[in-house]
Amino acid sequence: MFAAIGIFFVFLLLGMPVAFSIGLSGFSFFVFRDLPMTVLVQKSISTSQSFTMLAIPLFILAGNLMNSCGITSRLMKFANSCTGHMYGNIGQVSCLMSTLMGGVSGSAVADASMECRVLGPEMNRLGYARGWSAAINGLSGLIVATIPPSMGLIIYGTVGEVSIGRLFMAGWVPGVLMCVFLMLAVTWSARHFGYKPERSRPAPIGEILHNFISCIWAIMFPVLLILLIRFGIMSPTESGAFACAYALFVGAVIHRELTWDKLIQTLRDSVKDVTVITIILAFSGVFGYGVVYDDITITIANVLLGITSNPTLLLLIVVAFLLVCGMFMETTVIALILTPILLPVMRSVGVNEVVFGMIMMTVVTFGVMTPPVGTALYATSDIMECPIEDTVKYGWPFYVAVLAVVAFMILFPQAVLFLPNLVYGAA
């Protein structure tokens, strides 16, 4: 299997799309081992036919529907009324909006791209540096790595056989904490660059309440998901179907902004998004079979435990490894391939599986904003029309803020487990 892994990285460095890099390296494993090709086909099909994984395309469709029915603009008005008196207030809007949008989009890259398109023109008008704007819009998108319904958490929970309900509840503490840390970083950075607030004083309570009520349907969405899953009314997959129906109802009946043309375009966009993820899911099943067949999990576990058995030190080593992986591989791929390898190691040294899920998905999602293969880094820089070097240079305070959240989760795991234990009881 190590030869297949080497082939995977060679294809990746040559610029081959990730899905085909995984597929061809998995195929090479079957060739080297002279295994029946019928197993390769079966593994490809069975991975994409998981009932739990069906939640991913459903939430993608729900997110696209909500973006088409006026929810985004209403959330932006509410966020702006809350932060208009702060330094770099449109950057603050980006942080708050990502937190509110976490339950809508579920994708860091989608969130970052959307915010650049929506907030970018206003940031340019106010004289913010384009690299600064690209950095905060991109890094605030990382909040959706933990705020439910996160695609990464669904994949991690399915592959690692971890309660998705617990993961969703655990995501609120690091998600809100990341919002706070990023807003503090925006304040410090905006003061340094002289990005003054638009308002001299906070907005009137009446204005904030009015804007809050206008976007109440979006804010209710993640809360409803948690309640439906917690009380056993729906499984995570069934809640994805509910989310689609909810989005259609809000767009067509409440806001009345979801026209037939918008609906057709939304379905087209969703099919494209789902197709890419499904191909990766299918081919990763082949790759995962090779990992299990050659006992790669046991080999890596022995190597890591040979370095140290201290849970905190081992976790720091794994975090460093995941940071490097995030620089070269997509979040979905890392979650699919490395979860079954690393999770048993973490369990063996006493690291809670929910806490590790929060840390892992935050760190690997962080990779979308790191060179050389950061998809959100390139997307935000392209939309804001600035070099990626400027985005990284202006964004260093925001990078530090995200890493501070990771450090918090490592040092204070019980804070992450507070809500899951409160709602579901101690594991």
Side-chain angles (χ1 to χ4, degrees), residues 194-237:
Y195 302 153
K196 296 182 179 180
E198 286 190 273
R199 298 172 183 251
S200 58
R201 59 184 63 187
I205 296 296
E207 179 183 337
I208 295 175
L209 287 175
H210 173 75
N211 290 329
F212 174 79
I213 292 171
S214 70
C215 64
I216 189 65
W217 292 97
I219 295 172
M220 283 173 55
F221 174 59
V223 177
L224 283 173
L225 288 183
I226 294 295
L227 291 175
L228 291 170
I229 294 172
R230 167 62 186 91
F231 292 106
I233 300 172
M234 294 181 183
S235 69
T237 302

Side-chain angles (χ1 to χ4, degrees), residues 33-269:
R33 292 290 189 180
D34 195 25
L35 296 171
M37 291 299 165
T38 52
V39 177
L40 183 148
V41 176
Q42 290 169 356
K43 286 296 175 182
S44 298
I45 296 173
S46 63
T47 306
S48 62
Q49 291 185 333
S50 165
F51 179 73
T52 307
M53 287 292 191
L54 181 60
I56 294 175
L58 289 171
F59 278 121
I60 287 174
L61 174 58
N64 288 337
L65 285 169
M66 289 191 172
N67 286 335
S68 300
C69 67
I71 282 179
T72 301
S73 58
R74 287 171 170 81
L75 286 173
M76 186 178 71
K77 287 181 181 178
F78 172 61
N80 195 29
S81 64
C82 293
T83 63
H85 61 288
M86 299 180 182
Y87 278 84
N89 64 288
I90 306 300
Q92 307 283 8
V93 168
S94 179
C95 300
L96 191 56
M97 197 170 164
S98 290
T99 307
L100 297 172
M101 285 289 291
V104 177
S105 70
S107 165
V109 179
D111 184 87
S113 301
M114 177 275 299
E115 291 197 6
C116 271
R117 292 189 178 94
V118 173
L119 302 178
E122 182 67 9
M123 290 175 153
N124 291 339
R125 184 187 70 81
L126 293 173
Y128 297 179
R130 291 178 180 269
W132 191 89
S133 302
I136 186 56
N137 286 331
L139 285 159
S140 68
L142 303 186
I143 296 172
V144 307
T146 60
I147 297 286
S150 163
M151 300 299 106
L153 292 182
I154 294 173
I155 293 173
Y156 172 86
T158 304
V159 176
E161 298 181 354
V162 181
S163 166
I164 294 175
R166 280 186 171 273
L167 290 169
F168 278 5
M169 284 307 304
W172 287 102
V173 169
V176 172
L177 193 65
M178 193 181 301
C179 175
V180 172
F181 280 18
L182 282 171
M183 291 180 78
L184 291 173
V186 167
T187 300
W188 180 88
S189 182
R191 282 179 179 272
H192 177 74
F193 291 112
Y195 302 153
K196 296 182 179 180
E198 286 190 273
R199 298 172 183 251
S200 58
R201 59 184 63 187
I205 296 296
E207 179 183 337
I208 295 175
L209 287 175
H210 173 75
N211 290 329
F212 174 79
I213 292 171
S214 70
C215 64
I216 189 65
W217 292 97
I219 295 172
M220 283 173 55
F221 174 59
V223 177
L224 283 173
L225 288 183
I226 294 295
L227 291 175
L228 291 170
I229 294 172
R230 167 62 186 91
F231 292 106
I233 300 172
M234 294 181 183
S235 69
T237 302
E238 291 166 342
S239 68
F242 165 78
C244 293
Y246 181 89
L248 282 170
F249 174 77
V250 172
V253 179
I254 305 299
H255 294 165
R256 298 183 181 180
E257 294 186 22
L258 188 63
T259 62
W260 280 110
D261 289 341
K262 284 185 178 180
L263 177 59
I264 292 171
Q265 186 58 47
T266 299
L267 291 173
R268 286 174 178 166
D269 293 340

Side-chain angles (χ1 to χ4, degrees), residues 320-331 334 338 363-375:
F321 171 66
L322 291 173
L323 282 171
V324 174
C325 290
M327 293 180 180
F328 298 95
M329 299 165 62
E330 293 181 6
T331 304
I334 298 174
L338 294 184
V363 171
V364 299
T365 308
F366 186 63
V368 303
M369 279 300 291
T370 56
V373 194
T375 50

